[in-house]
Amino acid sequence: MPGKLRQRTLEYLREVLMEGPGKLSHREAEICAGIIMGYSTEAIGLNCMISVNTVATHRKRAYAKLGISSQNELFLRYFSAVRRFQSDLEE
């Protein structure tokens, strides 16, 4: 995925996560968006300029707010939003 499309997808997904159920903070939404896009904990930490422990803390808080307990549940809930956004951009 080209860098520009990746960045726009991350931004869109972050907004969806912040507006959706659970009312995630900006940072929690940023972390979850990175997870959905397939970034490792280390990569998310580097992109956000925070430690992997802080990434883990934000992830745990976000999962609690969303009422989920795994990465798979996060994917199930938001992957369709990513697909919709990317197909809209391609049209």
Side-chain angles (χ1 to χ4, degrees), residues 28-43:
E28 291 164 346
E30 190 172 29
I31 300 303
C32 287
I35 293 167
I36 293 166
M37 293 297 294
Y39 293 124
S40 68
T41 301
E42 292 82 9

Side-chain angles (χ1 to χ4, degrees), residues 9-24:
T9 303
L10 276 168
E11 290 169 7
Y12 169 77
L13 192 51
R14 186 184 65 232
E15 294 302 317
V16 168
L17 286 157
M18 286 173 44
E19 293 171 1
K23 303 290 185 196
L24 299 184

